[in-house]
Amino acid sequence: RSFYVLDDISPLRAIDQDLMAQEAALFEPRDAWWFFPRPHLDFGSVKGSMGHAHFTAPNPPRGVNFTYYLRDGYRSTKEGRCASEEKGSRASVPFAGYEAMEAERVDEGPKLMLIIRNASGEVIRRIPAPHGKGFHRVNWDMRHPSAGALNASRPPKEMDSKGPAGFPAVPGSYTASLVLLQDGQVQWSQGPVSFELKPLRKGTLEGSSMEEVDAFWRSLEAASGRSDLITMAVTD
């Protein structure tokens, strides 16, 4: 007595036995509508003066959703050892030894990255992606990474798994690739897949071109980075 809402079934149409036998597969994403969301009464999840009796539900994630498949998944050296030990009895688990434990300590483990490039082939975003077995979905919020200088002693409040939020990317053509990094080396790459960021509507007033807006945002990023470096040098 329930139902599921699947907002994009296009990956299901591409699945067959040959694809499931592959080590990995990155599906073609849908084009995304480019817009700036209007706040509901207030920014974030705040309901303004309406109180909690006013029902609201979260919107789907804004941006481009990427779906990919991993046949086996990938583990770090420690994760692989723990998985093999779980299969045996406690009495049969041997001591790994100093060399093995040291190798586990310095092992960075596998890293799966979704790499976004613009029409000129420039990398504009690297998004960490889950590397477990099965199907996964990763969202790109249509933004560049923050150009602000990072301070290890005072990490930014908006830091999350994708990094601090930066300025938006402009409408246009983009590509995405899925890359596996292990021991500092690229093991394989899936893609690229192409997609578009499309303006949801045309502005009422005639403004600057998207090329001019993009150049302004990039110059503002550079200025923000320099300002952060000056602040860190003065306050630290």
Side-chain angles (χ1 to χ4, degrees):
R1 296 183 179 182
S2 61
F3 61 89
Y4 294 90
V5 176
L6 188 60
D7 57 353
D8 183 10
I9 65 171
S10 57
L12 298 180
R13 299 190 179 101
I15 294 176
D16 55 26
Q17 291 183 348
D18 293 337
L19 184 141
M20 298 295 288
Q22 296 179 15
E23 184 175 0
L26 176 63
F27 298 94
E28 291 278 350
R30 294 190 297 184
D31 295 338
W33 292 112
W34 186 88
F35 65 96
F36 294 94
R38 184 176 65 179
H40 177 75
L41 297 179
D42 205 340
F43 289 95
S45 59
V46 181
K47 299 184 180 182
S49 60
M50 299 296 290
H52 286 279
H54 179 62
F55 174 78
T56 58
N59 289 322
R62 172 176 168 266
V64 189
N65 289 319
F66 298 92
T67 304
Y68 62 93
Y69 163 75
L70 301 178
R71 184 188 61 199
D72 303 315
Y74 303 93
R75 296 170 174 170
S76 65
T77 304
K78 181 178 180 179
E79 291 170 339
R81 175 181 60 82
C82 292
S84 62
E85 290 177 352
E86 288 177 356
K87 295 179 181 179
S89 63
R90 293 185 178 181
S92 63
V93 175
F95 175 65
Y98 174 79
E99 290 79 8
M101 300 304 293
E102 179 64 14
E104 289 183 6
R105 187 185 69 83
V106 300
D107 179 29
E108 295 182 354
K111 294 181 180 179
L112 201 63
M113 303 292 293
L114 189 69
I115 300 178
I116 311 295
R117 290 181 171 87
N118 60 17
S120 302
E122 300 171 329
V123 175
I124 63 172
R125 194 70 183 268
R126 293 179 175 89
I127 304 174
H131 50 75
K133 179 180 179 180
F135 288 87
H136 301 275
R137 178 168 286 179
V138 173
N139 174 268
W140 175 44
D141 58 4
M142 300 186 293
R143 288 182 175 273
H144 287 248
S146 173
L150 297 180
N151 189 333
S153 61
R154 294 195 302 273
K157 294 181 180 180
E158 66 270 25
M159 176 72 81
D160 58 14
S161 61
K162 298 179 182 178
F167 286 96
V170 295
S173 300
Y174 294 84
T175 62
S177 300
L178 190 67
V179 177
L180 176 68
L181 300 173
Q182 208 158 21
D183 299 326
Q185 301 293 326
V186 175
Q187 302 300 315
W188 52 254
S189 175
Q190 286 287 323
V193 293
S194 302
F195 60 95
E196 298 275 339
L197 302 186
K198 300 179 178 179
L200 183 60
R201 61 183 64 183
K202 185 178 180 181
T204 304
L205 301 177
E206 189 68 26
S208 301
S209 66
M210 281 294 113
E211 290 76 13
E212 293 174 314
V213 172
D214 188 42
F216 172 74
W217 280 341
R218 302 292 81 79
S219 64
L220 195 57
E221 287 175 345
S224 175
R226 292 193 296 269
S227 175
D228 285 354
L229 287 174
I230 294 173
T231 302
M232 290 167 56
V234 170
T235 58
D236 287 352

